[in-house]
Every structure is written in C-alpha cells, then in structure tokens.
C-alpha cells in the first residue's frame, strides 16, 4: 500500500521554471497536482498539472493521449508513478526536454480552473472525533459520542450534482426551519449558514460490485486529495436530520478545489495511525501493519473568512481556525475498506469527503457551529465586524499544506466560495 519516497521528492530538486522554486509556492516540482483548465467556457476541459504559477498541458507535452480524466484517474500505480517521473524529469533544471515542456505551459491566471473531474458519486464521512464530540455535546452533553463512532467510519451518501468548482458563488438556501419554541415550521432563508473544513478524496481505480477492497490495496484506489467545503444549513439540518440524516441542509452546494495532490506527492508526509489509550482497536478488516505505521497524513489545514467589506477594502480575510488531518479518527485506507466491505462498487471520479476536520483544541473547530458554540459566541474581526453564522457576501477560503524537515513544502492551493442572497420566496 505505501508509496515509496524517491528522487521526485528530493528537497534539492529545482525546476528551470523560476516560479516553481519560490519558497512560498504551493506547487514546486515535488508536488505536481492534477487539475482541469480551459481558456473560456466554449472550450472543453483539458488536463493539466500545476507547476509554480503555470500549468503543464499534459497532452501538449506528450505525456497523455486522452482528455478523458477518468482514464487518467484509473491508471494503475506504476502508470501514475511513470507520469510523475516524466513530469519531474522534464521540469527539472537542466532537462533536455525543456523546450517541449515550455511549449506546453500556460499561466494559471490566463485560464479558468474547473472541478478536477466530473464527480460521479459522493460520500461524506465524519472522521474527526473532535468534531463529532463537540457537535454531540451540543445535543447530548452527557453522552456526546454515539456508541458506534469508535467502531464504524460513519458516513452518508451526498449529492454530486451540486459540487462546484472553487471560485463559484452560490445562493443561500431556503428551507423548512422550526424554532424550538414554535409549533410549526416555516419556509425561510437559512439563518444559520455554515461551512465545513474537509478534504476530498478522489477515487482513482474502481472496484467491481461484490468485490471488497482490503486494507492492503485500499490506497491503490485513491488518486489523491483536494480541499473540500461542505456548506451546511444548520437550521434546516436540525429540523430534517432525524431519522435518515442530512438532506436539503447539505445538497445545495459543496466546493472542491481545482488541484488534486496525488498520493505519490503525499508520500513524505505520512504519519502513524494511533488510537488514544483505552479506545478499541479497529476490527481486523480496518487494520493493517502499513496503516498502523503510516496510515495518517500530516496536512496542515486553514479556514479564512473574507467579508464583502473586507473584499471592498482589499483585505484578504481573517483566519478562523487551523487543524491537521493527522488528527482524524479514520484513515483514507480505512474509508475505502469500509465503503467496499459490503460489496459496494466505487468508480473513477467518485469523491469521499473526510467530514469536518476539527482539531483537539476548541479553537481548532472546522465549522462555525463549533467556533461560535452553536451561534452563542460571536467571532470578532479587526475591522469591527463579527460573525456567528455566514452572511451574504462572505467568502470562505480553505488552504492546506504539508511540511516536514528534510522535504520541500507542498500545498493544495485554495478552495474558495462566496455566499449570495437567497432566491426570493414565491
Ligand atoms: Mn460534511
């Protein structure tokens, strides 16, 4: 399962493209994330890889012979590694192929970035025990974590059609709201609009129905990770969620970042999977020596909020929280093994959301539901504004990066979305 570290991860590697060598770039030659771009919306999407402030058009560089993203996602580990090696060799300083790669470069600022693939099917998990505990406490102070949590990776099937590319605005949802002291619900714009800081896992190779994927092969079925914001209407959710779980509180919009950081690129940033003292060990189908040794991934995550007023004043926004993916309770491999244990078939382009990734400290909440304690505590900003829930005009920006001594920092770019006013009620 575990991908070896090789010369493509060497911290000393430099590109002939200067912007890739900038220490602040998310996209040095050690990263090479996959995405899709086009000049304008009359053109089909093309596959590319980010390098510095540019994109390598993969077909123009002679690295692929298709624009079918599912075919690229479905390629086996050796093909994925060969593509990474070819990119690394062509982009590194002194490459004999520089002219061919240079002819295939575009500026990221000159093109539109889309969803990295057509999201085929979407499952959202609930893998942060810190998030689950904090949210559970708001409903059940004495018994925050339900008894299945430490045994089953909890999830629900979400809706793929409303997953949007980063940079897209969406309208605040209308829905049924019922105040605790009201006799009946009413239809109104959501007043408790929230974000969820998540990672998205893009399924690479699928599996046949009836053929579970075991832990040893699980990561072979994941192409890579991107940033994911699962916008949530907490007031709609509170009224609708029992007994079958989230529905209209979740399916109006989710935002996925454009660049998929491959499992190969993440190889240097793996971390042990550990259970806290006294917690049950996973059942055998969710356990493996590889998973224990390095099933987790050390990814620093950040949420930023930019209000309309900040935007007008040229202010990039304020950071709301930081957390780390290595604090999740279940690993990528465990999610694949669990999702398929009943024979469920996954396909290239399926998306798993990690669930809100909150850290152990209260200020590490991955949603406003946590940071504002369910709307009870306002978050104040330097410009005098404050928020308990999102207002129209607010943008949420997710960022993520990996850093470790001896390796080059790699980043995920950003995942941005903006709230617009609700449509008029008819
Ligand atoms: Mn979610």
């Amino acid at each position: 399962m575990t991908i070896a570290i090789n010369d493509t991860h060497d911290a000393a590697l430099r590109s002939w493209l200067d912007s890739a060598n900038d220490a602040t770039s998310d996209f040095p030659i050690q990263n090479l994330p996959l995405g899709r771009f086009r000049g304008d919306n009359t053109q089909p999407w093309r596959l590319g890889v980010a390098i510095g402030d540019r994109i390598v058009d993969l077909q123009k560089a002679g690295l692929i012979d298709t624009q079918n993203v599912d075919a690229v996602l479905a390629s086996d580990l050796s093909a994925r590694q060969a593509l990474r090696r070819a990119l690394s060799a062509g982009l590194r300083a002194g490459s004999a192929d520089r002219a061919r790669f240079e002819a295939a470069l575009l500026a990221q600022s000159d093109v539109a970035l889309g969803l990295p693939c057509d999201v085929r099917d979407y499952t959202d998990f609930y893998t942060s025990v810190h998030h689950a505990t904090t949210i559970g406490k708001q409903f059940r102070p004495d018994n925050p974590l339900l008894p299945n949590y430490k045994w089953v990776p909890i999830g629900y099937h979400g809706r793929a059609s409303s997953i949007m590319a980063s940079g897209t605005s969406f309208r605040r949802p209308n829905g049924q709201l019922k105040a605790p002291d009201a006799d009946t619900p009413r239809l109104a714009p959501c007043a408790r609009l929230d974000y969820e800081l998540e990672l998205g896992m893009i399924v690479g190779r699928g599996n046949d129905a009836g053929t579970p994927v075991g832990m040893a092969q699980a990561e072979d079925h994941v192409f890579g990770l991107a940033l994911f914001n699962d916008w949530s209407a907490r007031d709609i959710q509170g009224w609708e969620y029992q007994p079958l779980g989230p529905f209209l509180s979740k399916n109006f919009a989710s935002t996925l970042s454009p660049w998929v950081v491959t499992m190969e690129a993440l190889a240097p940033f793996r971390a042990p999977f550990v259970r806290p003292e006294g917690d049950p060990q996973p059942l055998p189908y969710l356990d493996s020596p590889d998973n224990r040794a390095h099933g987790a991934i050390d990814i620093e995550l950040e949420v930023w909020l930019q209000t309309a007023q900040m935007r007008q004043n040229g202010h990039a926004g304020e950071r709301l929280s930081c957390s780390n993916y290595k604090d999740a309770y279940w690993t990528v491999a465990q999610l694949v093994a669990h999702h398929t244990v009943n024979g469920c078939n996954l396909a290239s382009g399926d998306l798993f959301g990690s669930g809100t990734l909150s850290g152990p400290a209260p200020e590490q909440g991955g949603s406003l539901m946590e940071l504002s304690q369910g709307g009870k505590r306002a978050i104040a900003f330097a410009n005098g504004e404050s928020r308990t829930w999102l207002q129209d005009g607010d943008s949420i920006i997710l960022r993520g990066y990996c850093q470790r001594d001896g390796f080059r920092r790699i980043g995920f770019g950003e995942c941005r979305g903006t709230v617009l006013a609700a449509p008029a009620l008819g």
Side-chain angles (χ1 to χ4, degrees):
M1 149 188 146
T2 316
I3 295 161
I5 294 170
N6 58 36
D7 70 295
T8 67
H9 302 100
D10 184 346
L13 265 191
R14 291 176 71 80
S15 174
W16 44 258
L17 180 70
D18 287 339
S19 65
N21 303 324
D22 182 334
T24 63
S25 175
D26 276 353
F27 308 120
I29 192 169
Q30 292 83 355
N31 192 348
L32 306 172
L34 180 76
R36 294 194 299 179
F37 67 93
R38 62 186 179 189
D40 63 56
N41 60 14
T42 65
Q43 298 170 355
W45 294 111
R46 293 183 68 80
L47 291 166
V49 160
I51 178 78
D53 61 1
R54 309 274 134 170
I55 299 171
V56 183
D57 182 317
L58 288 177
Q59 193 164 15
K60 271 201 185 131
L63 297 170
I64 56 172
D65 55 10
T66 175
Q67 294 296 336
N68 178 354
V69 63
D70 289 343
V72 174
L73 293 178
S75 46
D76 63 19
L77 179 62
S78 66
R80 298 200 309 261
Q81 288 184 313
L83 176 60
R84 179 175 171 85
R85 274 197 304 274
L87 280 159
S88 180
L91 290 166
R92 67 180 67 174
S95 167
D97 288 329
R98 172 173 175 165
R100 173 163 62 92
F101 277 75
E102 225 162 11
L105 285 190
L106 300 98
Q108 286 173 32
S109 57
D110 285 350
V111 297
L113 300 174
L115 289 171
C117 61
D118 299 315
V119 177
R120 197 192 124 100
D121 215 333
Y122 158 47
T123 302
D124 200 22
F125 284 94
Y126 200 52
T127 64
S128 166
V129 70
H130 308 296
H131 174 72
T133 304
T134 307
I135 297 297
K137 266 185 195 152
Q138 294 184 13
F139 297 99
R140 299 174 301 276
D142 302 330
N143 180 29
L145 216 53
L146 293 169
N148 56 5
Y149 190 85
K150 293 182 175 177
W151 297 98
V152 185
I154 301 292
Y156 69 94
H157 284 106
R159 187 162 181 86
S161 66
S162 50
I163 294 173
M164 302 169 176
S166 179
T168 308
S169 302
F170 67 94
R171 296 169 111 184
R172 173 183 301 273
N174 293 312
Q176 275 201 27
L177 319 178
K178 191 182 108 41
D181 55 354
D183 291 335
T184 54
R186 64 202 167 92
L187 182 68
C190 165
R192 293 159 69 97
L193 186 62
D194 202 354
Y195 61 85
E196 291 188 337
L197 165 63
E198 304 198 18
L199 282 166
M201 291 149 218
I202 310 292
V203 172
R205 208 152 45 84
N207 63 300
D208 293 331
T211 309
V213 179
M215 284 294 285
Q217 279 76 45
E219 279 199 13
D220 292 352
H221 292 260
V222 177
F223 188 85
L225 307 185
L227 300 166
F228 186 62
N229 183 347
D230 180 25
W231 304 94
S232 297
R234 300 301 181 194
D235 39 10
I236 299 172
Q237 187 176 0
W239 171 232
E240 76 172 4
Y241 86 103
Q242 287 177 319
L244 287 185
F247 180 34
L248 301 182
S249 56
K250 297 281 191 174
N251 70 4
F252 57 94
S254 308
T255 308
L256 185 63
S257 66
W259 298 113
V260 183
V261 176
T262 63
M263 297 308 281
E264 290 78 67
L266 293 168
F269 308 103
R270 305 306 298 244
F273 164 83
V274 280
R275 279 277 183 258
E277 190 74 26
D279 276 16
Q281 288 301 318
L283 291 178
Y285 81 97
L286 295 173
D287 189 19
S288 76
D290 267 344
N291 192 63
R292 289 178 186 216
H294 28 236
I297 314 176
D298 185 343
I299 305 173
E300 298 282 352
L301 299 164
E302 299 181 356
V303 183
W304 292 68
L305 186 148
Q306 184 192 49
T307 67
Q309 187 182 314
M310 292 175 191
R311 193 156 49 249
Q312 276 157 16
N313 295 333
H315 184 316
E318 290 216 20
R319 196 169 66 186
L320 294 178
S321 72
C322 306
S323 61
N324 192 302
Y325 184 44
K326 70 178 191 297
D327 291 326
Y329 201 78
W330 300 101
T331 65
V332 170
Q334 287 170 326
L335 300 187
V336 172
H338 183 68
H339 205 307
T340 61
V341 72
N342 65 344
C344 177
N345 48 318
L346 305 178
S348 306
D350 284 1
L351 174 71
F352 291 179
S354 60
T356 308
L357 293 171
S358 305
E363 67 274 16
Q364 292 184 300
S367 67
L368 286 174
M369 180 89 167
E370 291 153 275
L371 297 177
S372 76
Q373 296 165 8
K376 293 202 281 285
R377 180 186 151 269
I379 299 152
F381 303 126
N383 70 353
E385 291 184 284
S386 68
R387 289 290 182 272
T388 48
W389 305 105
L390 296 172
Q391 300 294 313
D392 295 345
D394 286 353
S395 296
I396 289 288
I397 305 108
L398 309 183
R399 299 205 171 92
Y401 57 92
C402 300
Q403 56 188 4
R404 185 180 154 198
D405 284 350
F407 290 93
R408 177 64 159 85
R409 174 192 176 282
I410 63 170
F412 283 72
E414 65 170 37
C415 178
R416 179 185 293 261
T418 302
V419 182
L420 304 175
L425 290 165

